[in-house]
Amino acid sequence: QGQLVESGGGLVQAGGSLSLSCSASGSIFGIGAMGWYRQAPGKQRELVATITTGGTTTYADSVKGRFTISRDNAKNTVYLQMNSLKPEDTAIYYCIATGLRAYWGQGTQVTVSS
């Protein structure tokens, strides 16, 4: 139903690293900008990072200098490299893609222990 497929979540200790990926199913066409949101229990969904087809990026202040978003346009895949992880980064991470409509990933759990 237009959802993107995410992978790479898991459990990591504070200070560690984790890499997420998100790929279009192959039945999605006209993908434009892509990005990542995250949501912790009881909190609003927060925009983490975005990247345009041309490679222009934006980051939430809370992750600047620690997270890196990238993409492979030929594969319609977006990545999120997360370094120096903090317990505050614990959340479900969702990828998004824009096009004819918005597409959402199923979410992947990232847990950072102290």
Side-chain angles (χ1 to χ4, degrees):
Q1 301 183 52
Q3 290 185 311
L4 309 175
V5 180
E6 304 179 23
S7 63
L11 174 64
V12 66
Q13 292 186 341
S17 297
L18 206 59
S19 182
L20 308 181
S21 66
C22 173
S23 299
S25 67
S27 61
I28 301 175
F29 300 94
I31 297 296
M34 304 182 79
W36 294 90
Y37 279 83
R38 66 186 181 185
Q39 188 168 31
K43 296 185 179 295
Q44 294 292 322
R45 188 171 294 181
E46 174 189 24
L47 182 62
V48 176
T50 65
I51 184 167
T52 68
T53 56
T56 301
T57 60
T58 68
Y59 296 94
D61 288 341
S62 58
V63 307
K64 286 181 180 177
R66 300 188 298 118
F67 290 11
T68 302
I69 188 171
S70 61
R71 67 186 291 167
D72 185 332
N73 289 338
K75 298 179 180 179
N76 280 333
T77 299
V78 64
Y79 308 91
L80 188 67
Q81 178 64 46
M82 303 181 292
N83 299 323
S84 302
L85 283 162
K86 305 174 180 179
E88 305 94 279
D89 296 318
T90 295
I92 301 175
Y93 284 69
Y94 300 88
C95 66
I96 61 167
T98 61
L100 297 179
R101 64 175 178 88
Y103 298 89
W104 292 84
Q106 81 280 7
T108 185
Q109 178 70 49
V110 172
T111 302
V112 184
S113 62
S114 60

